Structures are given as structure tokens and as C-alpha cells.
């Protein structure tokens, strides 16, 4: 197996990137296995060449300045291209190595992503994976800034800096136990759910933006609501019958199979759907390992999309 680090750019590029990630020269030096003075010297050299400070020295650590943000975008592109080239060089020698960073929503990390990663490990055992779980609204910036090669997220708004590599369409439904008073319904309106208390997602989650237009200032809707930025917590609250949560079937497959929770489609607007997509930075040439994981994620999404129960909205 090849072991290429491909340090083909000046050390200052790598030193700056590590300081930016660590918010500390000392910690960056430790990770790079060099002296702190060497890192500091390269940062000062960069600042002199750019004619502007790259970091604000704050009590809580270093934070990039406006000039630092400009350099960050340039450095991110350089280092991602180096990773792509390394994958191509390894491919010439028949070596299937590499590293993939993925930013994902919580629901996809329960079953869908683990299934894809299991297949990835079976096919490409030398490829390493890094996973960060965060809300859909935070994922585009992680992809754009190079913190993640891929983003796996629901209902992302259009963004000219990222591209959608694959997508599946999933119905939004009300989540409750079989003992809930509404459990016998085949479809529900958001207003019906509000009469029994709802668990509202916070704004960093995509479901918040899908439900918000339905939330009307009625007496029922003004009852105290539970708010959470965790879909897992919302699921547990629904299990305890503390309110009705809203999400797709992604991430609750096991609960539904065991009959512990029900997923009843919302009837508002003829049915509400959320798109689960895989995203990358626009115009980036993806390394071989990233392409491989993208393909497997696309297959897992398509499989679950086919398993969606057919449903025709009721015409009144």
C-alpha cells in the first residue's frame, strides 16, 4: 500500500490550514509534529506577504480575519485538489485508499449511512471515513468551506456553490405511539396534531421550515410547545406521549418495524415531501473514494425511496 502525503505546496499552506482548524498555534504544531516557533514563523510570513493579519488573537483562541477567510477559500481548494490527485495516483497502482469526510443529518446517521459505510468498508477496506452530525441548515457551509467532502441533508435551499449528486423524496408524517388518540387515522392535518400538542423542530433542522407555514395563530396552536434541535430527542418524546413529532421515515425504520411508533402522513398541501440529497462543492473533481461513497449513498437512498408506502391524497 502506498503512503503518500503529497506535500507539494509550501509548508505555510498546511500550517495555516491546521492553525485555522485548531484555533491555536501550539495545538497546530503538536498535530503537525513541528515546533510552535516554526508554525508561528510561517504564519507571520504569510501575513507579511498578504499585507494583512490572518488571525485575530482572542482570549479564547485564534479566529480568522477577513483576509484569513479569503486565504481559507484558496487553501481549501488547493488541499482538496491534492487529495483528489493522491487518489488518482493510488488508482494507477491499484490501491483503493483515501479519506472521506461527510457531514450528515441525524436521521440519516441511524440506519441509512451505517448501511452505506458497511458496504464501503467491505469494498474499500483501506478508505477511512470521518462523520460529523449536524442540522441540515449547517451542512452547506461545511461542504463549501471544505470541512466535508459530502453533505447528506434534507430539504436544502438552492445554493450556487454546491451541487446535488443524488436525491430521494420522502413523505413527512406525524410520529406517535399506537396508543395515541390519533393512531387510527390514515392521514392527519397539522391542525389536528396541534390539538394534541406537538414537538416543534428548531430552525437549524429542515423540518422546521417545512412545518412553519402550517403553524397558524389559533388557540390550539398557541398551546405550549416542546422545541428541540434533535430528531432523536423528538422521537423519544413522542414515544413518551409528550407530543407529536414530525419527520420522514428515515431514521425510524426499526421503530416502525417493531410497531413501537407510527408514521402517519400529513395531508396538508396534498402531502408534504422532504428531499434527502447528497451534496458536494460545485465544480469540484471528486476523489475516487468520495465518488465511491456517493454511489453507495445514492443506492441506499433509492432503496428507501422505493419502500415508501404509496399514498394518494384525499380529495374533498
Amino acid at each position: 500500500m502506498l503512503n503518500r502525503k503529497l506535500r507539494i505546496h509550501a509548508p505555510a499552506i498546511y500550517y495555516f490550514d491546521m492553525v485555522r482548524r485548531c484555533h491555536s498555534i501550539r495545538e497546530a504544531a503538536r498535530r503537525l509534529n513541528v515546533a510552535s516557533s516554526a508554525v508561528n514563523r510561517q504564519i507571520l510570513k504569510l501575513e507579511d506577504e498578504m499585507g494583512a493579519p490572518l488571525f485575530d488573537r482572542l482570549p479564547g483562541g485564534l479566529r480568522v480575519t477577513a483576509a484569513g477567510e479569503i486565504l481559507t477559500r484558496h487553501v481549501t481548494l488547493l488541499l482538496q485538489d491534492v487529495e483528489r490527485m493522491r487518489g488518482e495516483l493510488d488508482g494507477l497502482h491499484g490501491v483503493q485508499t483515501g479519506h472521506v469526510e461527510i457531514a450528515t443529518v441525524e436521521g440519516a446517521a441511524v440506519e441509512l449511512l451505517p448501511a452505506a459505510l458497511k458496504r464501503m468498508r467491505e469494498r474499500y477496506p483501506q478508505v477511512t471515513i470521518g462523520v460529523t452530525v449536524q442540522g441540515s441548515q449547517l451542512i452547506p457551509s461545511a461542504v463549501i468551506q471544505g470541512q466535508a467532502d459530502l453533505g447528506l441533508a434534507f430539504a436544502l435551499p438552492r445554493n450556487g456553490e454546491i451541487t446535488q449528486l443524488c436525491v430521494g423524496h420522502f413523505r413527512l408524517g406525524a410520529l406517535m405511539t399506537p396508543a395515541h388518540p390519533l393512531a387510527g387515522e390514515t392521514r392527519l392535518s397539522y391542525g389536528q396534531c396541534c390539538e394534541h400538542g406537538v414537538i416543534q423542530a428548531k430552525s437549524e433542522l429542515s423540518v422546521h421550515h417545512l412545518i412553519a407555514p402550517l403553524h397558524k395563530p389559533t388557540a390550539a396552536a398557541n398551546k405550549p410547545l416542546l422545541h428541540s434541535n434533535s430528531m432523536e430527542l423528538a422521537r423519544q418524546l413522542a414515544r413518551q406521549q409528550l407530543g407529536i413529532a414530525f419527520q420522514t421515515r428515515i431514521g425510524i425504520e426499526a421503530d416502525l418495524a417493531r410497531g413501537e411508533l407510527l408514521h402517519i402522513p400529513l395531508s396538508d398541501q396534498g402531502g408534504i415531501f422532504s428531499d434527502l440529497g447528497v451534496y458536494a462543492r460545485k465544480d469540484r473533481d471528486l476523489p475516487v473514494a468520495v465518488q465511491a461513497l456517493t454511489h453507495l449513498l445514492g443506492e441506499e437512498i433509492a432503496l428507501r425511496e422505493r419502500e415508501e408506502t404509496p399514498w394518494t391524497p384525499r380529495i374533498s
Side-chain angles (χ1 to χ4, degrees), residues 12 52 63 90 99 128 171 186-187 207 230 253 293 307:
R63 184 179 65 187
D90 283 349
H99 179 78
T128 58
R171 189 176 295 112
T186 58
R187 66 204 71 180
V207 68
S230 168
E253 296 95 335
L293 182 55
E307 293 173 348

Side-chain angles (χ1 to χ4, degrees), residues 125-273:
Q126 300 303 319
V127 174
T128 58
I129 310 288
V131 178
T132 301
V133 177
Q134 52 192 164
S136 279
Q137 303 304 303
L138 301 176
I139 287 177
S141 63
V143 172
I144 293 167
Q145 295 173 14
Q147 298 165 354
D149 298 296
L150 297 173
L152 180 58
F154 281 105
L156 288 188
R158 291 184 178 276
N159 188 316
E161 296 184 79
I162 60 175
T163 186
Q164 187 182 80
L165 304 177
C166 55
V167 66
H169 310 283
F170 299 93
R171 189 176 295 112
L172 199 66
L175 199 61
M176 65 190 71
T177 68
H180 196 278
L182 296 176
E185 301 292 330
T186 58
R187 66 204 71 180
L188 290 165
S189 70
Y190 181 72
Q192 287 176 281
C193 296
C194 285
E195 293 174 3
H196 293 265
V198 298
I199 301 163
Q200 193 175 62
K202 291 191 174 182
S203 61
E204 56 263 42
L205 301 182
S206 62
V207 68
H208 169 90
H209 302 278
L210 295 173
I211 292 293
L214 309 179
H215 188 74
K216 300 176 182 178
T218 63
N222 281 333
K223 289 182 179 179
L225 301 175
L226 288 165
H227 296 76
S228 173
N229 68 346
S230 168
M231 299 306 296
E232 173 62 21
L233 176 60
R235 181 172 69 89
Q236 294 299 336
L237 294 175
R239 186 193 295 274
Q240 298 298 321
Q241 299 190 50
L242 295 176
I244 297 174
F246 302 95
Q247 63 178 89
T248 68
R249 297 169 66 92
I250 299 297
I252 58 171
E253 296 95 335
D255 298 276
L256 297 176
R258 292 191 297 265
E260 296 176 358
L261 288 172
L262 300 177
H263 181 270
I264 303 178
L266 288 176
S267 59
D268 303 85
Q269 303 173 356
I272 301 175
F273 287 79

Side-chain angles (χ1 to χ4, degrees), residues 20 30 83 199 279 314:
R20 176 184 67 85
R30 186 188 70 80
E83 177 63 20
I199 301 163
Y279 299 85
R314 178 183 295 144

